């Protein structure tokens, strides 16, 4: 490999100038001696303080969660009240032809049954939102678990209602 003479000469001159700059005693260069903090004892890592966890629902959330649970119970009561007529209608429409009177009536009944659970579905949406807000505020794991228990209760109700509706729609055939 051959290096061009002009390029080689330029590189050598640049290197020589750089090395001579390092050897000048008159300059304002930083000292290479140890700094005081480098000789001191290393910083101790503070012991982690245990995170305080909420063990009971705060007063500010008791009313809200109780209201959501009551709303869920209302939705479930309305659903349960509408279920027998809807079930009877679906069973009588089982095997009915698509679009027939019995088929259409069963679909109307199931639509009403679905609408009757609106309070439960709305309560689930509200508890989901409340948990998101509290998480954004930095709520501890204990509070999130307490709110999660309310969420689970409501979600279980909504899931049960949804399963019943799916079974009834399967009975009449969509």
């Amino acid at each position: 490999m051959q290096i061009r003479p002009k390029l080689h000469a330029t590189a050598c001159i640049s290197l020589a100038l750089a090395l001579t700059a390092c050897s000048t005693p008159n300059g304002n260069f930083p000292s290479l001696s140890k700094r005081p903090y480098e000789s001191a004892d290393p910083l101790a890592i503070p012991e982690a303080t245990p995170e305080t966890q909420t063990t009971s629902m705060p007063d500010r959330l008791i009313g809200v969660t109780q209201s959501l649970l009551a709303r869920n119970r209302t939705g479930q009561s309305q659903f349960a009240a509408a279920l027998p007529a809807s079930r009877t209608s679906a069973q009588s429409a089982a095997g009915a032809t698509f679009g027939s009177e019995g088929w259409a009536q069963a679909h109307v009944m199931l639509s009403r049954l679905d609408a009757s659970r609106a309070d439960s579905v709305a309560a689930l949406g509200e508890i989901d939102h409340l948990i998101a807000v509290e998480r954004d505020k930095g709520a501890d794991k204990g509070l999130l678990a307490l709110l999660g228990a309310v969420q689970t209760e409501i979600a279980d109700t909504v899931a049960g209602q949804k399963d019943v509706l799916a079974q009834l729609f399967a009975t009449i055939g969509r």
Side-chain angles (χ1 to χ4, degrees):
M1 176 178 205
Q2 200 173 15
I3 300 177
R4 293 186 199 146
K6 193 173 195 180
L7 181 63
H8 182 64
T10 305
C12 288
I13 292 171
S14 297
L15 183 61
L17 288 173
L19 290 175
T20 58
C22 291
S23 65
T24 58
N26 303 340
N28 194 7
F29 302 107
S31 168
L32 295 178
S33 61
K34 282 188 170 185
R35 309 298 190 283
Y37 65 85
E38 294 175 319
S39 299
D41 291 333
L43 295 175
I45 298 174
E47 291 184 30
T49 56
E51 183 180 322
T52 306
Q53 289 197 13
T54 306
T55 56
S56 61
M57 192 69 71
D59 291 341
R60 66 183 176 85
L61 295 176
I62 289 174
V64 174
T65 55
Q66 293 302 318
S67 173
L68 292 175
L69 289 169
R71 191 168 184 191
N72 179 50
R73 284 189 296 275
T74 299
Q76 179 58 24
S77 294
Q78 292 170 349
F79 184 84
L83 182 58
S86 298
R87 184 171 277 136
T88 301
S89 181
Q91 289 170 345
S92 67
T97 58
F98 179 82
S100 68
E101 182 69 28
W103 182 90
Q105 185 179 7
H107 273 275
V108 168
M109 293 296 290
L110 292 184
S111 293
R112 289 181 184 155
L113 180 64
D114 189 25
S116 72
R117 68 192 196 110
D119 281 326
S120 294
V121 174
L124 181 59
E126 289 178 32
I127 190 66
D128 289 347
H129 177 72
L130 179 62
I131 290 172
V133 167
E134 290 300 320
R135 185 176 290 125
D136 288 346
K137 287 181 182 178
D140 62 61
K141 291 177 184 177
L143 177 58
L144 293 176
L146 292 169
L147 291 171
V150 174
Q151 180 188 40
T152 298
E153 182 178 337
I154 298 171
D156 288 348
T157 300
V158 170
Q161 294 166 345
K162 184 178 175 183
D163 289 345
V164 168
L165 278 166
Q167 291 169 355
L168 294 175
F169 273 113
T171 299
I172 61 174
R174 285 200 177 238

